Amino acid sequence: MKYLFKFIFINYHLIKCRLKYYLFGISAIEYLIPSLHPMLIIPTLKLFNAKIGNKTVIRSGLRITNSYGSSDSKNDFSNLQIGHNCFISYNTVFDLTDRIEIQDNVVLAMDCKIISHLDTGNRISNPKLNAIKKPIKIQNNVYIGASATILYGVTIGENAIIGSCSLVNKDIKMNTTNYGIPVREVSKA
């Protein structure tokens, strides 16, 4: 009986999401996700084309930004790929302007931000601030500490550790421990 109730509850929610999408677009789903029960987050992301592996856990407060609005936007979550057995903690932010690939056995502690672009729009006219968007790749067995920020174009190598509150603005070698603002390598793992 418990599983039947869960099945009905999830499918009822997905029908409501599909209706909101048709009426208001993907921005309505972006707005909805932070308030969802963790049981509903992964089915909702998958409904809108995110690829998420088995045994992955995503806690509440997840925020998805920029899955719509630009001329090359897909108006869905297809730029998000999360592997198997990952843990995404509370209040994580994913900027889906470009692709975010998280491979298997990755932990993102609470309040992490994964930012795949820089764009000031038309508010600042400075040639040094041209719009930039680049994919982010986090390879297998990576730990990213609380409140870390990963910027566009970064690849984090396998078995790397990123300390809390770090700003990752460059590629990280595999088997290393890194922290700081900006991030720097402090030891080999």
Side-chain angles (χ1 to χ4, degrees):
M1 189 63 136
K2 176 181 171 182
Y3 297 107
L4 178 61
F5 175 74
K6 183 177 177 181
F7 174 80
I8 292 170
F9 180 67
I10 290 173
N11 282 292
Y12 172 72
H13 165 75
L14 295 177
I15 290 168
K16 286 189 341 185
C17 282
R18 184 61 78 179
L19 181 61
K20 284 183 181 186
Y21 175 77
Y22 286 123
L23 291 174
F24 306 111
I26 196 70
S27 61
I29 308 305
E30 284 185 0
Y31 183 76
L32 174 71
I33 287 175
S35 63
L36 290 179
H37 185 281
M39 175 176 63
L40 298 173
I41 293 172
I42 291 176
T44 303
L45 294 174
K46 286 182 174 181
L47 179 65
F48 297 101
N49 300 322
K51 292 179 179 66
I52 301 173
N54 297 328
K55 297 185 179 179
T56 288
V57 173
I58 301 177
R59 296 291 187 198
S60 60
L62 175 71
R63 285 175 174 64
I64 303 286
T65 64
N66 298 314
S67 59
Y68 66 95
S70 66
S71 59
D72 57 347
S73 173
K74 298 174 187 169
N75 289 314
D76 64 9
F77 302 143
S78 60
N79 275 342
L80 180 61
Q81 179 179 343
I82 301 173
H84 301 292
N85 198 37
C86 293
F87 180 81
I88 312 297
S89 191
Y90 300 98
N91 301 320
T92 298
V93 176
F94 290 131
D95 167 13
L96 296 183
T97 303
D98 209 319
R99 185 170 176 76
I100 296 175
E101 179 185 350
I102 300 172
Q103 293 183 350
D104 300 337
N105 305 310
V106 172
V107 173
L108 273 71
M110 66 188 104
D111 297 315
C112 287
K113 294 165 186 60
I114 315 295
I115 310 296
S116 65
H117 87 294
L118 166 72
D119 188 0
T120 61
N122 59 3
R123 288 157 189 83
I124 299 173
S125 59
N126 184 337
K128 293 181 182 179
L129 293 176
N130 292 330
I132 301 169
K133 69 175 204 161
K134 294 181 182 177
I136 295 170
K137 185 173 187 178
I138 301 172
Q139 295 181 343
N140 295 319
N141 306 309
V142 170
Y143 174 82
I144 299 176
S147 298
T149 300
I150 315 299
L151 295 181
Y152 50 87
V154 166
T155 297
I156 299 177
E158 290 190 10
N159 305 309
I161 298 171
I162 306 297
S164 295
C165 298
S166 294
L167 175 66
V168 182
N169 60 349
K170 61 183 178 183
D171 289 349
I172 301 297
K173 296 177 187 171
M174 62 189 307
N175 302 315
T176 58
T177 300
N178 308 265
Y179 61 80
I181 302 174
V183 71
R184 61 185 168 81
E185 183 180 321
V186 293
S187 68
K188 301 243 186 238

